[in-house]
Amino acid sequence: MSWSDFHGRALDAVFDALNLAEIPWLVLRNHKGLPWHNASKDIDIGVEQQKLKEAEIVVEGVLKKHGFDRKETTVFQWGRCTSYFGVVDRSAVSIKIDLMDGFSWRTADLFNAGRLLQCAVPCGNFLIPSKTDDATIMWLKPLMTGGFVKQITEGISADPIGFRSNLDQLFRIDIADLAWQHLENGKYEVLTAHRGKLSQNAWTKEVKANPVKSIWNAFSYVSWELLRRSRRPRASFLAVLGPDGAGKTTFIHALRVRLAILQSKDLETIEVRHFRPHLLPNINQLLTGKPEVISKFNNPHSAPPAGKVSSFLRIGYYSLDYILGYWLKIRRLSIRGRTMIFDRYFYDFIVDPQRSRLSLPLWVVKIFLFFIPKPDLIIVLDTTSSVIYARKQELQPEEIDRQLTAYRKLADDDPIRFLCLDSAQSPEAMVDVATQEVITRLYPEI
């Protein structure tokens, strides 16, 4: 569910509760239409650092009453970014609210909420930054964080004296002169080339002005960053299993779109991987130099099984890819904000070893499985062999039945991690159930 009146009522109640609690706050950006319309993926609320926890308690209390009873919080040095989830009228819903003390860069507190509140202007039942402060942050934030620098000509022309004053507070006088010269003439691309100099100067000026505070900020920044990077976000590592013809490709496409909405992410950050991390090349590619051809891999039983020794070496090599690939690739991408969906996973070595030319006892493969990083949720698309065979005739009905039985056995052995869906349903109906299960299984209650 994207933004609706349901979300508007919840956010309106949050705004009222913050006002009632007498917590100074303001909406930092993308305020147009709030609370009833929201063109952004989240709501950024500026709160002074000493009030962050208090504000979070108020927000949680209100949202829980509106059905958002689960959450995922990422804590940064200067803020708490939280996605709230719930299942309302059998639909998965979410809302993302970031509470932050203005804008900082690394350890430098450049534009804190207290400073923004001094010049804030009313907008309905909430405050927003002044046009001058808003324009300053719109230019400064992407410049320093490596994003696309926005045009702010209107913000500069509305209050050139105030904008120049902001530059003088942020930078050394000669750097402020350089920035003003190009901004006044609309030459944003020239300043982008000076990104490093501007960022370093703003940081250095803040450190020199508050050396003791900056040392504490540096310690705090490193501590929070280490803590944040030590844990992969929940529901960021999923896998979809099922025989050929079960509808995995169509389902994954629909799931990807729905997860982007649910997790307040851009669609391109929901990545689909095939079978394994692919940190290591395919064995054939390793030996011959020829790239792996997925279409051949999808012709499941075309190649003869390998011998016992070769099979053992193959499963060992690919297990190494799963282990190293997770720690060096998948986990790091997830911490950076990506959600990974695997189309098939290591479990296919157990269910369909012939596909990978393995001829090993099942217990040997399960020993390797013990060391393989496991997805947060494994979705098995399950239906009758006749339905699957009607869709795709790559496997005979007897083989499809055998694989379905094997997948069900895996799900029975680990019911907390596995979810079986009837793939005779429409993809939309399956995604409805899957996203509800993602919320109730993977996100903790408030």
Side-chain angles (χ1 to χ4, degrees):
M1 179 190 291
S2 55
W3 200 263
S4 66
D5 286 346
F6 172 77
H7 294 81
R9 288 191 297 272
L11 186 59
D12 191 42
V14 166
F15 289 172
D16 286 342
L18 287 171
N19 289 332
L20 188 62
E22 298 184 349
I23 298 173
W25 67 281
L26 73 166
V27 175
L28 292 175
R29 62 185 182 91
N30 298 324
H31 64 274
K32 290 183 179 180
L34 292 179
W36 304 106
H37 302 283
N38 182 21
S40 179
K41 296 186 183 302
D42 54 24
I43 300 95
D44 289 348
I45 295 178
V47 180
E48 293 178 282
Q49 190 165 20
Q50 63 268 27
K51 292 285 187 177
L52 282 173
K53 189 60 181 177
E54 183 182 349
E56 183 181 46
I57 292 172
V58 171
V59 171
E60 285 186 2
V62 172
L63 291 181
K64 188 173 183 179
K65 291 178 181 178
H66 283 76
F68 298 94
D69 58 355
R70 295 171 184 271
K71 70 172 185 176
E72 171 78 351
T73 300
T74 302
V75 180
F76 295 90
Q77 180 184 16
W78 306 100
R80 305 175 69 85
C81 302
T82 305
S83 293
Y84 297 92
F85 305 93
V87 177
V88 178
D89 295 331
R90 302 182 67 181
S91 295
V93 294
S94 66
I95 186 171
K96 188 170 188 290
I97 296 181
D98 297 342
L99 300 172
M100 55 187 66
D101 185 13
F103 169 60
S104 62
W105 186 70
R106 296 184 179 171
T107 62
D109 184 11
L110 300 178
F111 239 94
N112 60 46
R115 177 177 171 183
L116 292 170
L117 283 163
Q118 290 175 6
C119 301
V121 295
C123 179
N125 65 338
F126 57 90
L127 298 175
I128 59 174
S130 69
K131 286 186 177 180
T132 305
D133 288 345
D134 187 49
T136 305
I137 294 178
M138 282 181 64
W139 167 71
L140 184 67
K141 185 174 181 179
L143 181 79
M144 298 186 74
T145 57
F148 177 75
V149 177
K150 300 175 183 178
Q151 302 288 317
I152 54 168
T153 305
E154 183 180 343
I156 295 175
S157 60
D159 183 14
I161 295 176
F163 192 91
R164 174 58 204 250
S165 176
N166 279 346
L167 293 180
D168 289 338
Q169 291 182 57
L170 288 166
F171 305 110
R172 196 175 64 225
I173 187 66
D174 58 321
I175 301 298
D177 286 340
L178 173 69
W180 178 247
Q181 175 188 346
H182 294 302
L183 286 171
E184 192 177 26
N185 296 321
K187 296 182 179 180
Y188 299 94
E189 69 285 352
V190 175
L191 283 176
T192 303
H194 294 284
R195 188 191 304 268
K197 181 190 293 185
L198 289 162
S199 301
Q200 189 63 37
N201 184 255
W203 180 83
T204 302
K205 184 173 182 179
E206 171 64 19
V207 170
K208 287 182 177 179
N210 300 285
V212 176
K213 180 182 175 184
S214 295
I215 292 173
W216 170 252
N217 286 344
F219 174 77
S220 176
Y221 173 79
V222 171
S223 300
W224 282 116
E225 282 299 292
L226 288 174
L227 181 62
R228 182 180 68 84
R229 297 181 189 189
S230 68
R231 185 179 67 84
R232 179 175 56 79
R234 296 175 178 86
S236 60
F237 181 20
L238 311 175
V240 179
L241 311 179
D244 291 307
K248 293 189 298 297
T249 301
T250 304
F251 170 76
I252 288 172
H253 174 73
L255 178 64
R256 182 170 172 257
V257 172
R258 194 76 65 85
L259 281 177
I261 296 172
L262 186 70
Q263 298 180 340
S264 302
K265 295 180 178 180
D266 295 326
L267 186 59
E268 59 267 23
T269 66
I270 313 294
E271 293 190 19
V272 179
R273 302 268 169 161
H274 187 79
F275 192 53
R276 59 188 181 87
H278 293 278
L279 181 70
L280 303 180
N282 179 267
I283 290 179
N284 184 61
Q285 181 182 355
L286 187 69
L287 297 176
T288 66
K290 297 180 180 179
E292 179 177 6
V293 181
I294 297 298
S295 60
K296 288 185 178 181
F297 183 80
N298 286 336
N299 184 10
H301 299 156
S302 59
K308 291 288 190 295
V309 174
S310 177
S311 294
F312 189 84
L313 293 175
R314 292 172 72 85
I315 193 70
Y317 177 79
Y318 287 131
S319 293
L320 189 63
D321 182 56
Y322 279 96
I323 296 168
L324 294 181
Y326 172 78
W327 289 104
L328 299 180
K329 194 173 185 179
I330 303 304
R331 185 177 178 277
R332 292 173 65 183
L333 288 171
S334 296
I335 290 173
R336 292 174 183 172
R338 296 187 176 262
T339 295
M340 318 301 293
I341 305 175
F342 275 79
D343 180 351
R344 300 188 180 277
Y345 199 64
F346 187 91
Y347 299 93
D348 277 61
F349 288 131
I350 294 173
V351 172
D352 189 13
Q354 189 176 343
R355 174 186 289 269
S356 302
R357 301 181 58 206
L358 296 180
S359 53
L360 290 170
L362 186 59
W363 64 267
V364 174
V365 182
K366 286 189 173 182
I367 288 176
F368 283 96
L369 175 63
F370 179 80
F371 298 98
I372 302 301
K374 311 298 190 299
D376 301 320
L377 183 66
I378 302 164
I379 302 169
V380 176
L381 302 190
D382 188 7
T383 185
T384 63
S385 58
S386 58
V387 169
I388 293 176
Y389 189 73
R391 293 173 180 167
K392 188 177 286 189
Q393 291 79 45
E394 289 183 357
L395 300 174
Q396 293 302 306
E398 297 79 10
E399 173 61 16
I400 296 172
D401 275 328
R402 187 198 66 77
Q403 290 190 18
L404 288 172
T405 300
Y407 282 124
R408 291 166 191 156
K409 176 67 166 56
L410 287 171
D412 289 341
D413 291 342
D414 191 359
I416 294 177
R417 193 180 301 275
F418 277 79
L419 168 66
C420 288
L421 295 177
D422 181 4
S423 65
Q425 306 175 84
S426 68
E428 291 74 19
M430 288 192 291
V431 169
D432 284 342
V433 176
T435 49
Q436 292 174 44
E437 291 293 329
V438 165
I439 289 174
T440 56
R441 293 191 186 201
L442 302 183
Y443 293 113
E445 291 187 73
I446 294 175

